Amino acid sequence: MLKTAFKPKWIAALLGALLFATGFVALSGWQFGSSTTEPVVKIDETEVPVPLTEHYAPGVEMLGSKADQIVEFSGHFIPGTDVLIKDRVDDDNLGNWVVSAFAVDGAKDDAAMAVVRGWQPETTTPSSAPKGTIEITGRLLPPEGPELNYDLRNPALATLSSAQLSNNWDLKLYTGFVTAHELTANGQPVTQPGLESIYVGPQPQEAQINWLNVFYGIEWVVFAGFAFFLWYRMVRDDYQRGMDDIAEDAAAQAAAREQLPEN
């Protein structure tokens, strides 16, 4: 069979199969390279504070390119809007977030932002929100789903849903909320009795895997292997035809010898 494989036509076919296989492997590499995507926003960008009113607008769905960003803005807390969000962890302790509506200076349609201004261990009434003009630096996060079967007897909500809070407060709110990492007034830190400040770190910045591209990459590798398999099958078939021809010739010669008259 080796002798058959060295025929000029099969050497040429092998070079063709090698060319096709190289192309298939290149396509496979491209598919594998496209199977991983970088995070929508890299961590070195999200940790640089940007003005909220320039970064995100109220009434707009929060996309991945907008969420998780450190933002800064000024305005004032709206009295009578304090709510608790239960089952929130601070230094391994379970407690409650204290959330208040914050009127953002320069916001479109005078929209307010739900701001997590601190954490407390009990579901007691929190201290009043600071008065006057406040500057806030914190992380912009997407809203949580609204609480189902809300019990009015429970002093704390289970989720921080801007849609639910908008109905409760009868205010136009930004979609999402901000965890306040720093509150200042005239450049000085603002104290909130009974509340502990919180810090929410950036979300994991792992690359995403597109399994469809991985499947296509494997498929191209299979095609590359099939090109060589097809060449091998054609060489083997040619070799088998040659062997069949030799066997037929031998049989014909034997039959001819048997028909010769004996001397």
Side-chain angles (χ1 to χ4, degrees):
M1 183 171 166
L2 186 61
K3 185 177 180 180
T4 303
F6 277 105
K7 290 181 179 180
K9 67 176 182 178
W10 295 129
I11 293 177
L14 178 60
L15 293 176
L18 181 61
L19 181 62
F20 276 107
T22 301
F24 292 154
V25 170
L27 289 171
S28 173
W30 174 74
Q31 289 288 356
F32 284 128
S34 301
S35 65
T36 57
T37 57
E38 293 294 327
V40 177
V41 181
K42 295 184 179 180
I43 191 170
D44 56 348
E45 298 176 2
T46 62
E47 303 312 288
V48 178
V50 298
L52 170 65
T53 53
E54 297 178 8
H55 177 72
Y56 186 53
V60 178
E61 180 183 1
M62 188 179 297
L63 302 177
S65 59
K66 299 297 182 181
D68 206 37
Q69 176 68 46
I70 297 294
V71 295
E72 52 189 10
F73 52 101
S74 62
H76 64 275
F77 285 104
I78 300 175
T81 59
D82 297 335
V83 296
L84 301 178
I85 309 297
K86 62 183 179 180
D87 298 333
R88 304 295 158 145
V89 177
D90 181 68
D91 291 335
D92 296 328
N93 296 316
L94 197 62
N96 307 272
W97 276 354
V98 178
V99 181
S100 303
F102 189 87
V104 179
D105 291 341
K108 181 181 178 182
D109 299 329
D110 297 325
M113 175 67 77
V115 173
V116 183
R117 59 185 181 92
W119 178 92
Q120 67 179 33
E122 306 295 337
T123 56
T124 55
T125 301
S127 60
S128 299
K131 298 180 180 180
T133 300
I134 304 294
E135 297 87 32
I136 294 178
T137 300
R139 190 175 303 281
L140 178 64
L141 295 171
E144 300 173 356
E147 180 179 2
L148 302 177
N149 302 320
Y150 172 56
D151 186 357
L152 296 175
R153 296 170 296 180
N154 195 325
L157 300 174
T159 63
L160 204 168
S161 166
S162 53
Q164 184 174 356
L165 291 178
S166 179
N167 290 330
N168 292 351
W169 291 335
D170 194 21
L171 292 172
K172 181 177 178 60
L173 293 180
Y174 279 85
T175 301
F177 61 96
V178 169
T179 55
H181 299 169
E182 182 180 2
L183 285 78
T184 61
N186 298 319
Q188 299 299 317
V190 174
T191 59
Q192 301 183 86
L195 297 187
E196 296 183 17
S197 60
I198 64 171
Y199 174 78
V200 175
Q203 299 302 304
Q205 300 290 309
E206 297 179 355
Q208 302 297 315
I209 298 178
N210 186 329
W211 291 104
L212 185 60
N213 288 93
V214 173
F215 172 77
Y216 287 151
I218 295 173
E219 195 174 54
W220 283 118
V221 172
V222 173
F223 288 161
F226 183 74
F228 289 108
F229 175 74
L230 185 61
W231 173 85
Y232 166 78
R233 284 296 302 269
M234 290 189 297
V235 171
R236 191 185 70 171
D237 290 346
D238 188 22
Y239 170 76
Q240 190 64 47
R241 284 193 299 270
M243 296 301 294
D244 291 342
D245 291 342
I246 292 174
E248 290 177 1
D249 290 342
Q253 292 176 8
R257 284 195 298 268
E258 291 178 356
Q259 294 176 1
L260 291 176
E262 295 183 357
N263 292 330

